Amino acid sequence: MELAYYSDYAVRLVNTEEPGRRKDTLTSVDAVRALIGADTQAARRAGEADVTRFRGVRTRLRAIFEAADGGEEHEAVHLLNSLLLEYPVSPQISGHEYLDASGRPRWHMHLAEHPSNATAGYAAVAAMGLAFHLTEYGVDRLGICEAEPCRNAYLDTSTNRSRRYCSDRCATRANVAAYRARKRRAAAEPETERTEPSPQRTKETAVARRPEES
């Protein structure tokens, strides 16, 4: 499994909460297990305490995305380093489940599950994946959706660093809102012209009212 895959762990956890819509789906052990993967060993270890732990890690991950989105590069790196120190990874070489054409393993790096608790394991791989993405592609590739009221996190993988929204749905909604705003401005312009005479017209009126010279 490639390390870049793990960066999505951070996005998935952050987006269990939508502050703009006051929506939070991470409220139970079942929700934690669904996030991890219901059939995994880590999910089976999850308990009530992990709900609070996961939400705490989520807050810290969101702070990283918001710092990066706000151009606070050093702050984003500092916050991510703090997570990496608190939740170290356990790297292993794996490949037994992926074979090449000749039947030999395709060796690759894999981040093993942390033995202490479900939150520690998830946080370790999420932080490491995010760190890999940040160092490989740049801090400005971590973003927060610009479509109001959405505040979802996303990873920009576009070739020209142009992504601004977390999904096609948000991009469409934002484009429609911008189009309607332009239409409203265009509709208001004729009314403005009628009620506020131009400077040239005001000058001409003043000249017309000046008494004629004898």
Side-chain angles (χ1 to χ4, degrees), residues 62-76 79 139-146 151 154:
R62 175 172 286 280
I64 294 168
F65 277 92
E66 290 181 342
D69 188 69
E72 299 176 16
E73 181 173 349
H74 292 282
E75 178 66 9
L79 294 172
V139 179
D140 57 343
R141 293 290 188 145
L142 280 60
I144 296 292
C145 186
E146 293 184 12
R151 297 293 293 165
Y154 66 83

Side-chain angles (χ1 to χ4, degrees), residues 182-196:
R182 290 194 299 270
K183 293 286 286 184
R184 286 193 296 269
R185 288 195 298 269
E189 285 175 2
E191 181 67 24
T192 301
E193 291 177 359
R194 287 195 297 270
T195 57
E196 298 182 8

Side-chain angles (χ1 to χ4, degrees), residues 123-176:
V125 295
M128 187 62 194
L130 197 58
F132 176 84
H133 194 95
L134 185 152
T135 54
E136 184 73 9
Y137 303 108
V139 179
D140 57 343
R141 293 290 188 145
L142 280 60
I144 296 292
C145 186
E146 293 184 12
E148 295 294 343
C150 182
R151 297 293 293 165
N152 277 352
Y154 66 83
L155 296 170
D156 185 358
T157 56
S158 64
T159 56
N160 57 356
R161 300 173 183 262
S162 60
R163 186 170 179 178
R164 298 165 55 200
Y165 308 104
C166 69
S167 63
D168 290 340
R169 178 172 174 268
C170 276
T172 299
R173 190 172 70 247
N175 289 335
V176 169

